[in-house]
Amino acid sequence: MGKSDKDITLGLGIDAGGTQTRWALADAAGIIVAEGSVAGLSALQMGNDAGRKAVRATFAGLAEDVLASGRPHRVCAGLTGFGGDSELLAEWLAELLGIHPDTVIVSNDIEIAYLDSFRPGEGYLVYAGTGSIAAYIDKSGVFHRAGGRGVTLDDGGGGFWIAREALRRVWRREDEEPGAWEDSPMARAVFDHVGGSDWAFSRQFIYGRERGEVGKLALAVAASAEQDPAARLILQQAGRELARLGSALVARFGVRPVVLAGRAAELHPLIAETMRAALPPEVPLRRKTAQPHFAAARMAAQPKH
């Protein structure tokens, strides 16, 4: 007789970013048996009451969806903005899933994304989502980074950065020539996304929305790139910003292959093309559609990970 559904060992992988939180269940053979997504979240939200309530609510929705497919035995969760304090996050996930907190591992989302692309010591991951970061895990398992300092400080080339650059350029031109936005395909797309051409709409959008929501404005920038040179320049600069991250690790640790991944990296071919041109020619570069929630699920499904 085969094992019943209750006997199958399942690992739950979670990849939480600013735009969305993806999850997957894998069996012991590494086969993905279920997957889904809920709202985005960041470990940075744990710094205040409202943020903690939002994280808890997102976890609750995720757990409900997961349990409809099966109860995991172990969990491997990668969260953007995670800095090492995992106790409460692990307790919440364990409680909502009905498992022991010791079976829940919480880490930075980029560590899991790296292991989805390379074995330790093999190469460098440049990840462009809402933010941006380059990562290298050496053969000793030590995590090294370039960038990933947050959208307020930097995160050049990420979705939030692209959105902010577009709004900055649009409003600088409006300062000089009010009404100029009507002749700009990028400005029209941006204002359509934020709700209107009055400054009040842009102000509310950039200062009142979560960073993942702001980052989605990058879609409008990319969509206007064929018609608007300003949008093309922003996407090209995003590629140069991402090349800077990869080059920083190459300079520190030597020539290794670079993988470019993340939703922002897939916005437009110009980003990867410009990054390739800006990287040292001897450094191999390939694009990858990241599935870190799959990698995390397979890690969780193993007896030891």
Side-chain angles (χ1 to χ4, degrees):
M1 292 179 64
K3 289 185 177 181
S4 69
D5 289 346
K6 291 183 179 180
D7 294 328
I8 296 174
T9 298
L10 295 175
L12 171 63
I14 299 173
D15 173 42
T19 303
Q20 66 175 345
T21 299
R22 296 183 295 176
W23 63 267
L25 285 171
D27 64 18
I31 297 172
I32 303 299
V33 298
E35 64 173 309
S37 65
V38 293
L41 65 88
S42 166
L44 298 174
Q45 292 174 269
M46 297 297 288
N48 59 71
D49 287 340
R52 285 190 289 273
K53 289 179 181 177
V55 171
R56 168 86 185 197
T58 301
F59 277 175
L62 182 149
E64 183 178 356
D65 290 350
V66 168
L67 292 174
S69 297
R71 186 180 304 277
H73 288 63
R74 283 174 294 276
V75 179
C76 182
L79 277 65
T80 187
F82 179 73
D85 185 8
S86 63
E87 185 175 350
L88 184 56
L89 294 165
E91 287 179 0
W92 283 352
L93 284 170
E95 174 193 342
L96 292 164
L97 292 166
I99 58 179
H100 196 279
D102 288 348
T103 63
V104 180
I105 292 178
V106 180
S107 65
N108 191 291
D109 60 329
I110 300 303
E111 295 181 49
I112 293 172
Y114 181 92
L115 295 172
D116 185 40
S117 301
F118 295 111
R119 290 190 295 269
E122 275 191 343
Y124 308 119
L125 172 70
V126 176
Y127 196 92
T130 300
S132 65
I133 189 172
Y136 172 55
I137 298 177
D138 65 26
K139 289 184 177 179
S140 299
V142 179
F143 180 86
H144 306 272
R145 68 193 293 158
R149 313 298 179 186
V151 298
T152 301
L153 183 62
D154 196 343
D155 278 13
F160 188 102
W161 182 91
I162 292 170
R164 185 182 62 210
E165 284 296 296
L167 281 168
R168 183 178 67 84
R169 287 171 182 260
V170 167
W171 282 109
R172 283 190 171 193
R173 191 173 178 211
E174 285 301 297
D175 288 340
E176 298 160 0
E177 188 182 346
W181 70 270
E182 296 184 52
D183 297 324
S184 164
M186 182 181 76
R188 294 198 303 270
V190 164
F191 285 157
D192 183 62
H193 187 95
V194 304
S197 61
D198 189 88
W199 164 238
F201 290 102
S202 293
R203 180 180 61 202
Q204 171 59 28
F205 182 81
I206 194 71
Y207 296 115
R209 301 284 186 90
E210 291 290 339
R211 64 191 192 101
E213 293 183 74
V214 174
K216 291 178 181 179
L217 177 59
L219 293 165
V221 179
S224 62
E226 304 309 315
Q227 294 81 38
D228 197 318
R232 294 180 65 84
L233 285 172
I234 291 171
L235 297 175
Q236 288 170 329
Q237 184 58 34
R240 285 189 284 271
E241 291 285 339
L242 298 175
R244 186 193 71 82
L245 294 175
S247 295
L249 292 182
V250 169
R252 285 158 57 188
F253 302 105
V255 173
R256 288 179 173 81
V258 174
V259 161
L260 172 63
R263 293 168 70 85
E266 299 174 354
L267 285 170
H268 196 280
L270 271 175
I271 295 175
E273 291 169 8
T274 308
M275 182 180 177
R276 170 63 278 170
L279 280 170
E282 68 273 18
V283 175
L285 173 68
R286 67 180 172 92
R287 289 176 55 185
K288 175 183 173 66
T289 299
Q291 301 279 21
H293 57 313
F294 287 1
R298 294 181 177 117
M299 291 166 63
Q302 300 306 308
K304 293 182 180 181
H305 57 279

